[in-house]
Amino acid sequence: MIDIREFPISQKTRNLVRFCVHPGYEVIDDSFIANYGFRDRGSHFSILKSTETAPGPDQCFSNFDRDARPVFAKLLGLELDFPGPSAGQKEHYQLYSSINYYRSHIEEHFCANGITPLPPIQGTCVMFYPETDRLAVSYTLVNNSSTDVSLRLRWKAVPETGIDRSFQTKENGFAVRVRQKVEVEYDSYAALSSSEPDLRFSVQDDAIVSDWVDRTVPAGGDTRFDFAIDFGFKPSTPQAIPANTGAQLRATVADAERAYASLPPLPEGFQGFEQLVLKAAGTLRTLRYMDIDPAGEPVWSIHAGKCGIACTYFWDSAFTLLGLGLLGDTDTAHGVSKLLLDGVKEDGTPPLYYILRQHRYEHQMPIYAWGVGHLLGLRPDDDFLADAYQPLSRYVNHWVRDCDSDQSGLVEYPDGGTCLDDSLRWQDRFPISFSPGEKWFEKDWGETHPGQFKSPDTNTHLYLECRTLAAMARRLGKESEAEVWNMRADRLGKLIHSELFNPKSGVYEDRSAKDGRFVGMVTAGSFLPLYAGITPPEIARDICRRYLLDPEHFYTTMPFASVDRAHPSFRSGGGLFVPPEHPGALVQQSYWKGRAWPHVSFWLVGALYRSGLEAEADEAARAILDAISRSEAIHECYDSLTGFGNGHPEFAWSSAAVLALAYGLYKHDPVGI
C-alpha cells in the first residue's frame, strides 16, 4: 500500500480518536457511537472499528434524517486459521490488533500471539473512501520469516436486524438491505465485491460468511485481498474491484495532506497545539458530505455532527464557515451557504436546517452574515459575495421588521426557535434565584418564552449582521445601502448599551419586554456587546475583571461557563434522562445551564481582546485549547469545571472554534470582511 511517512503532516493526525463502542451512560442513544465513525469523500456512511473484535471494519452507520442507525453490526471481519498447530496450541491463539487513524484512512495492524513458536505472519487492514459512498478495504498478510507459511482465511458480515432486512449472495460478493426508522422509514443498501473471483459467500443464521480460502505465503512474501463496499439509499450491485487500489489510497492521503498543508503556520505561543489543530481540520473534512439541492443537483455541504444532527444547520454552519475558510475549503463553504440561503423565504424567514432536499423552518441566532463576512475576510470572492448579499439582506430585514413586538428597536428571540435549548434565561416567572428564607422546592419558574425578553446576545448578533451587511454593500458599490445598514447598527448599539446594561449588576442582562425588569441572571450572552465593541472601554474592562476573568463566575477550568457559576441554576455538565415519549433514547441535560461551548468561548476571548486585555485573551485562548486537548474527540460542549468533553463528539463548530482560537481570529475585526 503506502508508507505513511511519505505524508508527514497526515502522520501526525494518527490515533486522535480511539475507536471503541462507548457505553450507554456516556452517549445519547444506542446509535450515538456513530459519532466516532470515519468517513471521507463526502460519504453519507460512517464506519467504526474496535480493537476488541476480528480485523476489519466493525460497523457501518447511515447518516439519514438527523440520526444514524447501523447497517451492520460487523461489516467485514477476518477470521484466520493456521493449519499445522495442534488443537491445544490453537486454544492459546490471541489476536492482537492496533489501529492508526489518519483522518484520510484507517490502518489496522494485527498478528496472532500466544503460542510458541509464533506464526510469522503480520497483517494490515486498510479502510478508506476512494469516492463518495464507496469504501475500499484491503487486507495484506506479510510473511517475515525464511519459511513458507500456510494459512486459511474467511470473512464474516453481520447485518443489523432493523425493522426488516434481506440479503442476497452474488458472484464474489453479496448485497444487503436494512430497513430502519428514525423519523421516517428508510432503506440502507450495501453491495460488496471481492478481488477474488472464486470467493463465495453464504447465509449462515444471521450472518453472511465466505468460504475458507487457502493460501501459502512464501518466505519474505505477502498475499493481499481487496474488497469494495458500495453504500446507498437505493439498490446497488457489486462493482468490479479496480486494479489500482493502492494508487487510490495514495491519492486520498495526498488530498488530505494538501488540506493540512494549506493551513497557515501557527502563531507564536500556539505551536504546541499542532495536533489539536490537525484533529480539528480532519474532523471538519470528515463531516463534509455530498448533498443534493432541491433541483436535484449535487452540492458540497457539511453536517453539524455525524449523527443526531446529521443535517445542515443554520447557525452551526455560520460559525463553521470560519474553519472552512482557514482550511481554504471554499467548495464546501459556498455549497452549504447556497443550500441555506436558497431557503430564505421571500419575507426573509431563515431556515433552521436543510435535510432530504427540504428546508425546515424555526429561528436560530442571527449570525449567518457574520460567518460569511469572516469567510470573505479569509477567502475573498466577489461572485460569492454578490450571490449571498440579497438573501442575507432579506433575512436580516426580517429580524429587524418582524421580531420587534413593541417597535422599541430591540428584537426578541422568537418563541418556538431552536436555540439555547434548555436555558433558564427566559422563564416567564423570573427571577429564578431564591429570596432569603424562600423554600426552593416551592419555587415556580413558569415556562420558557424567549419572545418575552430583549436579550443582549440576540441583539448584538443582529448588530453585527447589520455591520457586516454594511461592509458587504460597500464592497459591492451599494453605498446608500451601506449607509442604511450602518445607521441601523448605530441605533441598535446605542439601545443595547442604554437599555440592556443593568447598573445594579454592572453587566448586560436579558430584560422583560413586558415590564422592563432585568432577569437577574448573568450568562455568556452578557458579554457579546464587549466583543462587538459596543461597550465603552473602561466599562468593558471592569466587566471582564469582575466576571469573565473571575474563577468564581466565568473563568472555569474550561473557560467560559455559559451561566454565572455563582447563580443557583448553574450546572457544569449535566447527566442523561430517558424521556417517556422516547423510551429508547437518552437525552442530555443542562446544555445551556453552565457547560462551556467552544464557539461561545471564542466570542468571549474576543470580548477580552476588544476590551484591551490582550494578554488575558491569549491566555484564555490557550486555556480553552488545553482543555479541549484532553478529550479524545472535539466535542459539542464541555463540562466547565472538569474540562471533560460531553455533548456530541466530532463536532463541526467546535472544530472551527479550535482553528479560530489557535489562529487568533478573535483579534480580527468582529465584522470580518
Side-chain angles (χ1 to χ4, degrees):
M1 301 299 281
I2 66 167
D3 184 344
I4 192 62
R5 290 173 294 182
E6 297 177 30
F7 302 96
I9 308 177
S10 296
Q11 186 179 11
K12 295 177 183 179
T13 69
R14 66 188 186 280
N15 293 330
L16 297 181
V17 174
R18 184 179 64 212
F19 279 79
C20 61
V21 178
H22 285 229
Y25 60 80
E26 287 189 16
V27 300
I28 294 286
D29 61 26
D30 291 341
S31 74
F32 199 60
I33 47 175
N35 277 285
Y36 285 87
F38 155 80
R39 69 183 184 202
D40 200 0
R41 302 295 188 190
S43 177
H44 288 76
F45 292 80
S46 300
I47 61 172
L48 177 149
K49 177 68 196 102
S50 171
T51 58
E52 302 298 321
T53 60
D58 281 310
Q59 291 172 300
C60 166
F61 296 84
S62 57
N63 293 287
F64 188 92
D65 203 11
R66 292 191 298 150
D67 205 351
R69 290 291 184 267
V71 186
F72 289 89
K74 184 69 180 178
L75 177 52
L76 189 65
L78 171 64
E79 296 182 16
L80 277 175
D81 182 43
F82 294 93
S86 67
Q89 287 176 308
K90 290 184 178 182
E91 287 179 359
H92 296 283
Y93 274 174
Q94 292 178 350
L95 191 64
Y96 169 79
S97 177
S98 66
I99 299 167
N100 284 332
Y101 175 40
Y102 296 96
R103 291 287 175 187
S104 56
H105 65 293
I106 301 168
E107 288 186 9
E108 180 182 14
H109 302 276
F110 56 90
C111 58
N113 285 338
I115 64 173
T116 303
L118 295 174
I121 292 289
Q122 295 190 65
T124 302
C125 177
V126 176
M127 300 159 255
F128 70 101
Y129 281 91
E131 54 191 279
T132 304
D133 292 346
R134 170 171 255 217
L135 178 69
V137 183
S138 293
Y139 296 85
T140 303
L141 293 103
V142 179
N143 179 0
N144 292 321
S145 73
S146 58
T147 184
D148 295 350
V149 176
S150 296
L151 51 80
R152 307 182 76 212
L153 314 90
R154 71 174 179 178
W155 290 267
K156 182 178 181 180
V158 183
E160 282 287 344
T161 303
I163 299 173
D164 182 35
R165 68 178 179 185
S166 61
F167 20 82
Q168 180 181 8
T169 59
K170 298 177 177 290
E171 184 176 353
N172 79 317
F174 61 81
V176 168
R177 176 193 63 85
V178 178
R179 171 156 291 185
Q180 302 283 17
K181 182 176 182 180
V182 183
E183 294 186 1
V184 298
E185 289 189 8
Y186 66 95
D187 290 332
S188 291
Y189 294 88
L192 176 139
S193 54
S194 167
S195 61
E196 294 294 302
D198 298 327
L199 187 64
R200 294 291 182 268
F201 287 83
S202 61
V203 177
Q204 299 181 16
D205 298 323
D206 288 339
I208 304 171
V209 184
S210 78
D211 295 341
W212 284 101
V213 176
D214 295 308
R215 279 288 188 275
T216 296
V217 187
D222 61 55
T223 187
R224 178 172 162 179
F225 303 86
D226 291 332
F227 297 86
I229 303 106
D230 293 285
F231 297 106
F233 300 114
K234 294 182 179 180
S236 58
T237 56
Q239 303 296 312
I241 300 292
N244 60 343
T245 303
Q248 287 183 323
L249 175 59
R250 184 180 298 276
T252 297
V253 184
D255 183 52
E257 185 83 0
R258 282 191 295 271
Y260 299 136
S262 71
L263 287 167
L266 283 166
E268 183 178 354
F270 290 85
Q271 292 95 336
F273 297 107
E274 181 188 20
Q275 286 216 353
L276 178 62
V277 165
L278 292 174
K279 182 192 295 187
T283 300
L284 286 175
R285 284 178 55 79
T286 63
L287 284 168
R288 300 172 305 156
Y289 69 113
M290 186 63 72
D291 210 333
I292 303 296
D293 71 14
E297 296 298 318
V299 59
W300 277 103
S301 189
I302 193 164
H303 281 163
K306 284 182 178 166
C307 77
I309 26 48
C311 53
T312 302
Y313 268 93
F314 190 80
W315 77 317
D316 296 69
S317 298
F319 197 98
T320 301
L321 292 178
L322 279 66
L324 295 173
L326 283 165
L327 272 171
D329 188 356
T330 53
D331 285 346
T332 303
H334 294 173
V336 68
S337 296
K338 174 176 171 52
L339 281 181
L340 291 169
L341 297 181
D342 281 356
V344 175
K345 294 182 178 179
E346 286 302 313
D347 67 357
T349 303
L352 168 65
Y353 57 81
Y354 180 82
I355 192 169
L356 299 178
R357 298 174 63 174
Q358 292 182 342
H359 294 93
R360 310 282 176 91
Y361 289 89
E362 287 179 21
H363 284 77
Q364 292 187 309
M365 284 287 184
I367 68 170
Y368 211 92
W370 173 87
V372 170
H374 279 272
L375 173 66
L376 290 167
L378 294 164
R379 308 288 170 176
D381 188 313
D382 289 343
D383 291 337
F384 171 65
L385 169 60
D387 291 339
Y389 177 75
Q390 288 302 328
L392 287 172
S393 298
R394 287 204 313 276
Y395 119 82
V396 175
N397 274 320
H398 159 73
W399 271 91
V400 172
R401 181 185 65 244
D402 301 330
C403 299
D404 178 7
S405 62
D406 57 3
Q407 302 302 302
S408 67
L410 293 169
V411 301
E412 310 98 23
Y413 186 83
D415 281 353
T418 303
C419 191
L420 310 186
D421 314 73
D422 62 353
S423 174
L424 296 173
R425 296 168 51 182
W426 298 314
Q427 301 299 113
D428 58 5
R429 293 189 180 181
F430 67 92
I432 62 173
S433 54
F434 307 106
S435 302
E438 184 178 16
K439 294 181 179 179
W440 65 268
F441 52 86
E442 293 181 354
K443 185 81 171 181
D444 183 359
W445 290 344
E447 298 178 348
T448 295
H449 287 287
Q452 296 180 13
F453 296 90
K454 309 286 188 176
S455 301
D457 46 351
T458 307
N459 281 279
T460 300
H461 284 312
L462 188 59
Y463 166 89
L464 289 172
E465 297 292 81
C466 292
R467 284 282 189 238
T468 303
L469 285 168
M472 290 179 176
R474 186 166 292 112
R475 177 78 66 86
L476 293 169
K478 301 176 183 289
E479 292 295 336
S480 60
E481 293 186 29
E483 185 176 346
V484 170
W485 288 119
N486 274 326
M487 289 174 57
R488 287 178 172 176
D490 289 342
R491 179 170 183 253
L492 188 53
K494 291 176 182 177
L495 286 170
I496 290 169
H497 186 62
S498 64
E499 301 300 319
L500 300 182
F501 182 81
N502 184 354
K504 183 177 180 181
S505 61
V507 71
Y508 299 91
E509 293 180 19
D510 299 326
R511 194 171 189 178
S512 171
K514 290 185 174 182
D515 57 25
R517 286 185 298 152
F518 287 103
V519 300
M521 188 174 183
V522 184
T523 71
S526 300
F527 308 102
L528 264 293
L530 284 67
Y531 169 71
I534 293 170
T535 314
E538 64 279 4
I539 296 177
R541 284 191 291 273
D542 179 64
I543 291 173
C544 289
R545 293 191 174 103
R546 290 179 58 191
Y547 287 100
L548 267 190
L549 294 174
D550 188 341
E552 298 303 315
H553 292 287
F554 285 88
Y555 204 84
T556 45
T557 302
M558 163 70 172
F560 296 91
S562 52
V563 173
D564 188 349
R565 188 177 174 185
H567 195 275
S569 70
F570 171 81
R571 300 293 182 271
S572 65
L576 301 168
F577 73 97
V578 179
E581 64 272 24
H582 300 289
L586 297 171
V587 178
Q588 298 268 5
Q589 297 187 85
S590 300
Y591 247 31
W592 293 96
K593 296 172 184 171
R595 294 186 185 192
W597 295 72
H599 74 290
V600 176
S601 294
F602 168 84
W603 287 320
L604 302 197
V605 171
L608 292 173
Y609 190 85
R610 293 277 283 174
S611 301
L613 301 171
E614 299 178 6
E616 290 85 347
D618 289 343
E619 185 56 36
R622 285 191 286 268
I624 294 163
L625 295 173
D626 183 62
I628 294 174
S629 297
R630 298 174 204 154
S631 296
E632 291 168 347
I634 296 176
H635 288 255
E636 177 186 22
C637 48
Y638 290 77
D639 186 302
S640 56
L641 295 186
T642 68
F644 179 77
N646 50 28
H648 298 251
E650 303 263 291
F651 214 75
W653 66 6
S654 298
S655 299
V658 166
L659 297 178
L661 287 164
Y663 285 106
L665 295 193
Y666 55 87
K667 301 177 183 181
H668 291 199
D669 188 294
V671 168
I673 188 173

